[in-house]
């Protein structure tokens, strides 16, 4: 099965070719050439392939042969008819390029002029020209070259010598895209000293807007030092927070110092709406602006557009904004087709829909506790940035409960780091739970880690609807209690771990969870490779045991990169977590694993010493047996006859090895009583001091909440009676259960080692007896010879 989207694309391309050729294409049949398979490089077939096979190959390369159909349909479900028109434009551009020069010139001029006129009217940019480019930064680069040609008359002849005498300066905001200034300098061949970053406001106004007063001082300083202010790059929607600079004031400043003003940003899309904020409307007076219609309208593979105003076409040609090659003008063809298909109403409706989505989310966030929003205009903000904040009074009281909780506590660097970590986790969780929302995590200066919702950049491509925003709000409401409870219990967990012997609290501010704990192996102060491996073994076993428990907590080894070694990382928790029980369980489980490890280590040494002692005792037993039986019984023939006439009755003297006591004992009591003794009872396995009674179905580490009493009186009484019965039974059976559990776990290991010890003891005894018999035989022979 070929992907429906790919099949439809192929069908549209075939129909377009037939229409353009007026059904006059002649099919010429040629003799098929036979090739040997090894002569064809790669998968190329000698006879060629049909369209369906080729599209199937493309589908496999795009999605992979093992993916299911649902994932494939999801990735391409939002391309739609307007996307087909844009994709068809690339094929048509390739076909149109083979027309004769005159017809090609007329066609490209019509396409370019229509598209430019539509865009200028749609985005309220009067008397403008357009430059179509693939990279959205290329338009700004061409504009910089145009300004250099305009300000330096001899630049075409003298080149960099003119720039050396009077160095140009380009001003960009500190909130601009990362690396934008460096790319401009590299492409223009200018030193980095020609780029001036203007800080944002620190006291008045938005912290994401360019500081106009400071920009004015910077320009004056550059003029006094002999430099030439060239161009200012402003934002109508910063890449992070989506705020708009004071474009009206910046335009006045540029006119004062004869500078070029270029504007870019996602908020420029709102110029197509009926109501436009005054801050964005001022962008229509700028000298140039860059529009990214592909992401705004959900059009794949359409070029970005830079609208500009300039009266000298020769300088525009020298800067590369216009071209005399008709083929380069065909870049506007996919956009020309898509704009006609959508129409004015369709374009406005898409942008309006994205703005309504952001407003709906913003209205819901206003009523949420522990959420701080960072928007420029609450009435019309196409970008919504929010985060889980520590600066709110309710969280401050939660973290610093006490007599002085009403006093605002300043946020420390550690608390801010923890807040960034939690917001990183929150953004990742929301993106996984509601992928159609298009939320992502951004790092904003002075704000830290935030979650961004920018439907103008994602909704048209992902097909975001109102129900997706509602689902996003519901998921956010579920995650906020988890964040607050984890933050509240984090300090309690730290204190509880520090009070517990054998556990160490590891401070990892980049871990989104309850905390990190390590079980310290008792190594007598020595730290070598062996002790390090033993500690790793114990903590790995501890992690495995904790994951086997019936609890809602997540235990892991931490992040793949940058995490601490030999630690147990505990994830997010809820408010009903019993921290004391959790810490006690971790400590008891770690001690149990350590004691079992030490038992196995000591077992080898105990068994070895037992074997050596058994060899000595068996040798003594053989010597005593020789004295009791006499010398004649050791002669082979004589001894047999003597034993037949007068049998020698001797009690068997074996040895048994007690693994618990580590001692070698006689087996005479076993032969007398005809039963093997139980020996000493092994020590009990360490368990938590508090044994908490749990209700049926209740998981570990859960404590009952006052607000969660959802049981009726009858059920409460029945539960009370059940608990009393359980307590009565537990008093009578607790000792038996504890010993039985411990003996059952360790009896298997003791039996295995005891069996090996007995086997080795019997072998040694047989060898000794055989050796002593041989020695007595040799002594008898020597006496007879004498």
């Amino acid at each position: 099965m070929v992907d429906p989207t790919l099949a439809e694309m192929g069908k549209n391309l075939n129909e377009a070719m037939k229409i353009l050729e007026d059904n006059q294409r002649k099919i010429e049949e040629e003799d098929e050439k036979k090739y040997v398979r090894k002569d064809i490089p790669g998968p190329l077939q000698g006879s060629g392939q049909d369209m369906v096979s080729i599209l199937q190959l493309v589908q496999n390369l795009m999605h992979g042969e093992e993916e299911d159909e649902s994932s494939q349909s999801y990735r391409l479900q939002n391309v739609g008819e307007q996307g087909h028109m844009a994709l068809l434009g690339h094929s048509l551009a390739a076909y149109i390029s083979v027309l004769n020069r005159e017809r090609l010139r007329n066609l490209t001029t019509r396409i370019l002029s229509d598209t430019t006129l539509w865009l200028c009217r749609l985005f309220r940019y009067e008397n403008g020209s357009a430059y179509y480019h693939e990279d959205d930064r290329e338009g700004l680069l061409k504009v910089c070259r145009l300004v250099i040609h305009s300000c330096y008359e001899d630049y075409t002849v003298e080149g960099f010598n003119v720039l050396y005498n009077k160095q140009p300066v380009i001003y960009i905001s500190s909130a601009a895209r990362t690396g934008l200034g460096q790319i401009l300098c590299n492409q223009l061949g200018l030193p980095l000293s020609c780029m001036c970053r203007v800080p944002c406001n620190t006291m008045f106004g938005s912290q994401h807007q360019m500081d106009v007063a400071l920009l004015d001082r910077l320009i004056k300083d550059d003029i006094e030092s002999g430099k030439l202010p060239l161009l200012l790059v402003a934002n109508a929607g910063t890449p992070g927070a989506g705020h708009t600079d004071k474009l009206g004031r910046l335009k006045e400043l540029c006119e004062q110092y004869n500078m070029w003003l270029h504007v870019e940003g996602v908020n420029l899309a709102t110029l197509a709406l009926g109501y436009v904020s005054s801050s964005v409307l001022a962008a229509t007076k700028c000298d140039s602006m860059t529009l990214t219609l592909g992401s705004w309208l959900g059009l794949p593979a359409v070029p970005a557009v830079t609208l500009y105003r300039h009266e000298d076409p020769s300088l525009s040609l020298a800067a590369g904004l216009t071209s005399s090659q008709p083929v380069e003008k065909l870049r506007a063809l996919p956009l020309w087709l898509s704009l006609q298909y959508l129409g004015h109403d369709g374009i406005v409706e898409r942008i309006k829909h994205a703005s309504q989505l952001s407003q709906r989310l913003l209205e819901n966030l206003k009523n949420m506790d522990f959420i701080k929003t960072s928007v420029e205009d609450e009435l019309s903000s196409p970008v919504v940035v929010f985060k889980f904040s520590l600066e709110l009074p309710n969280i401050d009281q939660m973290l610093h409960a006490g007599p002085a909780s009403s006093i605002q506590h300043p946020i420390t660097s550690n608390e801010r780091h923890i807040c960034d970590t939690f917001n990183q986790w929150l953004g990742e969780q929301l993106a996984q739970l509601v992928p159609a929302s298009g939320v992502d995590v951004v790092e904003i200066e002075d704000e830290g880690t935030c979650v961004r919702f920018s439907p103008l950049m994602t909704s048209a491509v992902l097909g975001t609807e109102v129900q997706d925003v509602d689902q996003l709000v519901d998921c956010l409401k579920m995650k906020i209690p988890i964040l607050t409870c984890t933050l509240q219990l984090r300090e309690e967990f730290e204190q509880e771990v520090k009070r517990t012997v054998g556990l160490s609290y590891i401070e990892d501010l980049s871990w989104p969870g309850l905390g990190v704990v390590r079980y310290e192996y008792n190594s007598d102060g020595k730290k070598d490779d062996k002790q390090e491996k033993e500690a790793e073994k114990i903590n790995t076993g501890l992690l495995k045991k904790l994951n086997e428990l019936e609890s809602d907590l997540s235990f892991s080894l931490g992040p793949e990169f940058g995490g601490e070694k030999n630690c147990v990382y505990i994830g997010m928790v809820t408010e009903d977590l019993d921290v004391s029980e959790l810490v006690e369980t971790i400590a008891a489980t770690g001690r149990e694993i350590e004691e079992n490890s030490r038992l196995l280590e000591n077992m080898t040494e105990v068994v070895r010493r037992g074997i050596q002692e058994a060899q000595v005792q068996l040798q003594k037993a053989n010597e005593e047996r020789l004295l009791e039986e006499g010398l004649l019984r050791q002669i082979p023939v004589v001894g047999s006859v003597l034993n037949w006439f007068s049998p020698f009755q001797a009690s068997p003297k074996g040895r048994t090895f007690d693994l618990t006591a580590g001692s070698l004992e006689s087996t005479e009591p076993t032969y007398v009583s005809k039963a093997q003794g139980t020996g000493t009872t092994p020590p009990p396995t360490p368990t938590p001091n508090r044994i908490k009674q749990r209700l049926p179905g209740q998981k570990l580490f859960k404590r009952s909440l006052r607000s969660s009493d959802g049981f009726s009186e009858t059920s409460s009484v029945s539960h009370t009676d059940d608990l009393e019965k359980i307590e009565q039974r537990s008093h009578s059976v607790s000792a038996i259960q504890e010993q039985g559990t411990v003996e059952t776990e360790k009896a298997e290991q003791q039996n295995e080692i005891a069996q090996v010890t007995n086997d080795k003891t019997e072998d040694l005894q047989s060898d000794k007896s055989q050796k002593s018999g041989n020695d007595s035989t040799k002594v008898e022979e020597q006496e007879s010879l004498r």
Side-chain angles (χ1 to χ4, degrees), residues 47 159 181 256 260 265 279 302 315 350 420 487 568 587 604 612 631 661:
S47 59
Q256 177 182 352
W260 185 283
S279 59
V302 297
L315 295 181
R350 284 178 177 268
D420 292 342
L487 187 64
V568 177
T604 304
Q612 293 177 355
L631 185 60

Side-chain angles (χ1 to χ4, degrees), residues 217-256:
R217 292 197 298 269
L218 291 174
I219 294 175
K220 291 180 179 179
D221 294 341
D222 290 335
I223 294 177
E224 292 177 358
S225 60
K227 298 180 180 180
L228 177 63
L230 199 66
L231 180 139
L232 172 63
V233 182
N235 292 301
T238 55
H243 289 207
T244 303
D245 292 327
K246 299 177 182 179
L247 300 179
R249 181 71 180 92
L250 293 177
K251 179 58 180 177
E252 296 175 359
L253 199 63
C254 289
E255 291 178 349
Q256 177 182 352

Side-chain angles (χ1 to χ4, degrees), residues 167-200:
Q167 181 177 338
V169 182
I170 300 175
Y171 302 89
I172 62 173
S173 172
S174 59
R177 287 181 290 177
T178 304
L180 179 60
Q182 185 176 2
I183 291 176
L184 292 177
C185 290
N186 292 339
Q187 296 296 325
L188 296 173
L190 299 176
L192 293 178
S193 58
C194 294
M195 192 63 53
C196 179
R197 295 181 62 87
V198 183
C200 296

Side-chain angles (χ1 to χ4, degrees), residues 56 107 167 210 307 361 389 459 606 618 672 726 738:
Q56 181 67 49
L107 181 58
Q167 181 177 338
M210 190 183 302
L307 302 179
L361 177 62
S389 178
S459 63
V606 172
L618 288 175
V672 173
I726 292 173
E738 291 180 358

Side-chain angles (χ1 to χ4, degrees), residues 452-519:
R452 178 179 60 184
F453 178 66
S454 181
L456 275 174
M457 300 297 294
T458 59
S459 63
V461 178
L462 299 177
T464 310
E465 298 294 340
V466 176
Q467 54 268 25
D468 297 323
V469 177
D470 296 338
Q471 184 181 359
L472 181 66
V473 173
D474 294 338
C475 293
L476 186 59
K477 290 180 179 179
M478 291 189 300
K479 296 301 179 182
I480 289 177
I482 297 177
L483 291 170
T484 54
C485 295
T486 304
L487 187 64
Q488 183 179 8
L489 297 175
R490 192 178 176 107
E491 185 176 357
E492 180 183 351
F493 175 76
E494 178 182 356
Q495 299 298 329
E496 193 70 28
V497 170
K498 290 181 178 179
R499 288 194 298 263
T500 305
V501 179
L503 298 182
S504 296
Y505 180 80
I506 308 300
E507 186 175 10
D508 190 351
L509 302 179
S510 60
W511 172 248
L514 183 64
V516 186
V517 65
R518 174 189 293 158
Y519 183 82

Side-chain angles (χ1 to χ4, degrees), residues 386-403:
F386 61 94
K387 69 174 184 176
F388 176 78
S389 178
L390 288 169
E391 299 177 359
L392 301 178
N394 44 16
I395 292 186
D396 183 70
Q397 294 176 6
M398 180 182 65
L399 290 177
H400 307 279

